[in-house]
Amino acid sequence: MIAMQEELNQFERSEVWELVPRPSNQSVIGTKWVFRNKMDENGIIVRNKARLVAQGYNQEEGIDYEETFAPVARLEAIRMLLAFACFKDFIIYQMDVKSAFLNGFINEEVYVEQPPGFQSFNFPNHVFKLKKALYGLKQAPRAWYERLSKFLLKKGFKMGKIDTTLFIKTKEKDMLLVQIYVDDIIFGATNDSLCEDFSKCMHSEFEMSMMGELNYFLGLQIKQLKEGTFINQVKYIKDLLKRFNME
């Protein structure tokens, strides 16, 4: 119950929706609660989460949504970033965005049912009109990626030409790299001050959880050493980096 209330409080802070009379000429999408435990690399539960999701399978293309595509980082790209960090000898950090999809603006007119167990006492037949994306909507990943990418580009980042989930920012001889995987963000820089500035920048725009140095990501267990020993074949790394226009 506490986790569900926290989720709805997040909705209110993010101004996700507004309660309105049920429309007579518009379909209304159902909602449901999804529960999951977030674990660390040792399988220990670190957080209990409740998420309200829209039953997006009821959406009709051309009516409830138009564009759905959003790029997702490939595992090979993550490994290349780790190799580059080792080559340049800097630390990779991790953060995630709390309820990331709730930050994405939607262009379509979408209505959803009130959350099960949390219906309004005074207006039980009303529905919510969405202002922002909701987990489960087909356009939610696209809306979040657009919001985040536009924000990063506005802050001086350049998007990777091949990998559009990679964002790069340079300052004199230093470089900051940011890799996006939906609501998880890993980043590192040749100068720690760039990482500090990036963290402050993200916290000023979104609700973030800073998770410290990267040690577990997408099933990969990562041990970061003070001296780069991940890959010694420098030529091999350089060839890979050229493919991603990172050198």
Side-chain angles (χ1 to χ4, degrees), residues 4-244:
M4 290 188 286
Q5 189 60 59
E6 288 178 352
E7 174 81 345
L8 295 179
N9 291 341
Q10 179 68 41
F11 280 30
E12 185 175 347
R13 290 193 297 271
S14 300
E15 298 181 350
V16 172
W17 55 20
E18 59 178 336
L19 193 63
V20 298
R22 183 180 296 271
S24 58
N25 59 346
Q26 188 86 14
S27 61
V28 179
I29 300 170
T31 58
K32 66 177 181 179
W33 289 103
V34 175
F35 306 95
R36 70 184 181 95
N37 297 321
K38 193 161 188 177
M39 302 181 180
D40 63 12
E41 66 273 17
N42 298 314
I44 299 174
I45 297 174
V46 295
R47 193 189 317 168
N48 299 313
K49 298 188 71 174
R51 177 158 288 160
L52 183 70
V53 302
Q55 296 172 317
Y57 53 80
N58 291 326
Q59 291 181 273
E60 296 183 33
E61 186 174 0
I63 298 176
D64 298 310
Y65 68 93
E66 296 291 344
E67 182 63 40
T68 63
F69 174 78
V72 176
R74 294 168 59 92
L75 186 58
E76 293 87 346
I78 304 298
R79 287 176 170 172
M80 285 190 63
L81 178 57
L82 294 175
F84 184 71
C86 180
F87 175 58
K88 290 292 188 180
D89 199 15
F90 63 79
I91 300 296
I92 298 290
Y93 300 94
Q94 182 179 9
M95 62 169 62
D96 69 5
V97 186
K98 296 180 180 179
S99 302
F101 285 5
L102 304 185
N103 291 286
F105 296 103
I106 58 175
N107 302 317
E108 303 83 4
E109 190 171 338
V110 180
Y111 297 87
V112 298
E113 298 284 1
Q114 296 186 50
F118 290 87
Q119 290 87 352
S120 169
F121 179 79
N122 295 322
F123 304 101
N125 294 320
H126 278 39
V127 297
F128 280 107
K129 181 180 180 181
L130 295 182
K131 300 178 181 178
K132 295 182 180 178
L134 193 66
Y135 283 88
L137 290 182
K138 294 183 182 297
Q139 64 266 53
R142 181 265 304 165
W144 160 239
Y145 174 79
E146 286 185 354
R147 171 80 188 279
L148 179 58
S149 61
K150 287 180 180 178
F151 174 75
L152 293 177
L153 292 173
K154 185 178 178 181
K155 293 298 180 179
F157 283 85
K158 292 184 178 180
M159 184 186 296
K161 294 181 180 179
I162 297 176
D163 181 3
T164 55
T165 64
L166 176 68
F167 293 83
I168 304 171
K169 187 175 184 178
T170 57
K171 184 177 181 182
E172 297 177 352
K173 294 183 178 181
D174 290 311
M175 175 187 296
L176 169 66
L177 297 102
V178 177
Q179 186 82 60
I180 309 297
Y181 189 88
V182 191
D183 56 353
D184 287 308
I185 299 173
I186 60 175
F187 62 99
T190 54
N191 187 323
D192 279 342
S193 65
L194 292 179
C195 290
E196 294 175 6
D197 292 343
F198 175 69
S199 179
K200 292 177 182 177
C201 176
M202 291 297 292
H203 277 88
S204 69
E205 183 73 9
F206 309 105
E207 287 199 40
M208 309 292 303
S209 293
M210 187 65 187
M211 302 172 70
E213 293 185 13
L214 182 67
N215 53 49
Y216 184 74
F217 193 69
L218 299 182
L220 297 174
Q221 291 192 17
I222 299 112
K223 185 175 182 180
Q224 302 191 64
L225 306 177
K226 291 183 179 180
E227 295 182 359
T229 57
F230 186 65
I231 291 180
N232 295 321
Q233 299 169 340
V234 175
K235 182 179 183 301
Y236 172 70
I237 297 175
K238 286 186 175 182
D239 290 341
L240 288 177
L241 297 177
K242 286 179 180 178
R243 293 173 54 194
F244 279 72

